[in-house]
Amino acid sequence: MPQLAILNQKGGVGKTTTAVNLSAALAALGKRVLLIDLDPQAHATLHLGVTPDNEVAGIYDVLCRDARLPETVRAVGENLSLIPSTIDLAAAEVELAGEVGRELLLRDHLSDVAAEYDYVLLDCPPSLGVLTLNALAAVDEVIIPLQPHFLALHGLSKLLETIDVVARRINGRLKLGGVVFCMYEAATRLATEVTRDVDEFFERNRGGAAPWSQAAPFRTRIRRNIRLAEAPSFGQSIFDYAADSNGAEDYRRLAEEVVAAAGAARATTVRAA
Ligand code: ADP
Ligand code: MG
């Protein structure tokens, strides 16, 4: 079961939009998907129409109150389940500070449901604290949403360093699955230059031992599309809100690429065995 963390320590780059709509697109392809909202801002939770108040059991209860993970799962669509974030989650960083093995809590809980889903996606907060470390310890792959911005590569190197440290110390399976350009504006010179720089970066690093030695930007680029920005206020994924929009088309194509990549990885493993 592929487990993917959608991560970038910068805010506003398209993490939540990607986590929600990629999850919904995978579900529409018939995959059983669990999305976990690990951001105390609870944007993914709201995007899927769930109010993150104290009545709701969420990922905070799993990490800090030892609730069983399946008890916090709620169905939010066909093939699509969510573990919500709640306001309490902001306290997790402090509450877990003295806990031995605090980075491994999520990984241990996820093993309870491994057989029930084809994909687990984690929407990470814009920081590299204990919640993000839990995500990195639990998943096989990180997907990094990037906005084609002139500092995009600068932030990327810090993030790759963190992925490398986690891969060496706590999760030997961890790989960078790919970078997805979000809010892409094809007509701008900036977008062309940044995407070329990122392509070249991964080309130069191909074949080494780093967790990103097989990674590349996804061919699908998520275009800037106002429907994607509107959908959260209706508590709907782009497929329920505007199925004919460019945003829906782009996330559908991204999901197909993600599924194809998982298939290719499986084939490689089978050949190697
Ligand atoms: P993050 O989770 O990284 O903070 P979000 O996914 O919340 O980023 O995106 C930041 C803002 O940009 C949100 O208001 C979101 O609706 C909007 N947005 C994201 N992707 C797109 C897109 N492709 N086109 C237009 N608006 C977008
Ligand atoms: Mg977010």
Side-chain angles (χ1 to χ4, degrees):
M1 168 193 54
Q3 304 184 0
L4 314 173
I6 314 297
L7 174 61
N8 188 327
Q9 78 278 24
K10 266 190 69 157
V13 294
K15 285 184 294 297
T16 299
T17 307
T18 298
V20 167
N21 293 308
L22 178 58
S23 293
L26 288 165
L29 289 173
K31 307 293 179 190
R32 298 164 304 166
V33 182
L34 174 63
L35 171 63
I36 304 179
D37 186 354
L38 272 177
D39 188 348
Q41 296 177 93
H43 290 166
T45 301
L46 290 158
H47 198 328
L48 286 167
V50 176
T51 307
D53 57 28
N54 291 330
E55 316 289 294
V56 174
I59 196 65
Y60 170 82
D61 301 277
V62 174
L63 297 177
C64 299
R65 291 285 172 268
D66 220 19
R68 289 193 55 248
L69 187 134
E71 288 162 11
T72 64
V73 174
R74 52 170 64 210
V76 287
E78 198 179 347
N79 297 325
L80 182 58
S81 298
L82 169 75
I83 300 183
S85 167
T86 48
I87 314 301
D88 305 335
L89 190 59
E93 209 80 36
V94 173
E95 287 184 35
L96 292 174
E99 190 98 12
V100 176
R102 60 186 172 276
E103 297 92 357
L104 302 179
L105 289 165
L106 184 62
R107 181 180 80 183
D108 291 348
H109 279 281
L110 266 179
S111 58
D112 288 353
V113 295
E116 286 170 48
Y117 301 99
D118 299 312
Y119 285 87
V120 176
L121 277 78
L122 306 179
D123 185 26
C124 294
S127 66
L128 297 173
V130 74
L131 293 168
T132 294
L133 284 177
N134 265 274
L136 291 178
V139 299
D140 337 89
E141 280 187 20
V142 179
I143 292 181
I144 304 180
L146 270 192
Q147 218 182 325
H149 182 271
F150 81 106
L151 283 174
L153 262 176
H154 179 79
L156 190 61
S157 51
K158 170 87 187 123
L159 185 49
L160 293 178
E161 226 170 84
T162 305
I163 293 172
D164 191 39
V165 172
V166 174
R168 281 186 284 118
R169 296 197 188 148
I170 53 181
N171 180 4
R173 292 176 305 156
L174 187 65
K175 296 259 178 295
L176 177 64
V179 165
V180 55
F181 290 108
C182 293
M183 295 177 243
Y184 192 77
E185 287 171 298
T188 64
R189 199 168 125 202
L190 187 61
T192 318
E193 283 174 6
V194 173
T195 47
R196 192 195 54 219
D197 287 354
V198 174
D199 280 339
E200 282 173 7
F201 171 84
F202 286 109
E203 216 39 65
R204 274 202 305 282
N205 285 278
R206 188 148 329 277
W212 49 90
S213 60
Q214 296 157 34
F218 285 98
R219 280 193 310 277
T220 306
R221 292 164 180 170
I222 309 299
R223 289 167 284 181
R224 187 177 282 282
N225 178 232
I226 188 68
R227 297 282 174 255
L228 286 168
E230 290 166 358
S233 39
F234 295 89
Q236 291 178 328
S237 80
I238 192 65
F239 304 100
D240 290 328
Y241 177 65
D244 293 330
S245 60
N246 285 347
E249 183 188 330
D250 292 348
Y251 278 109
R252 209 175 285 124
R253 286 175 44 222
L254 181 65
E256 285 163 4
E257 250 191 270
V258 165
V259 170
R266 250 195 330 274
T268 315
T269 319
V270 170
R271 271 201 301 281

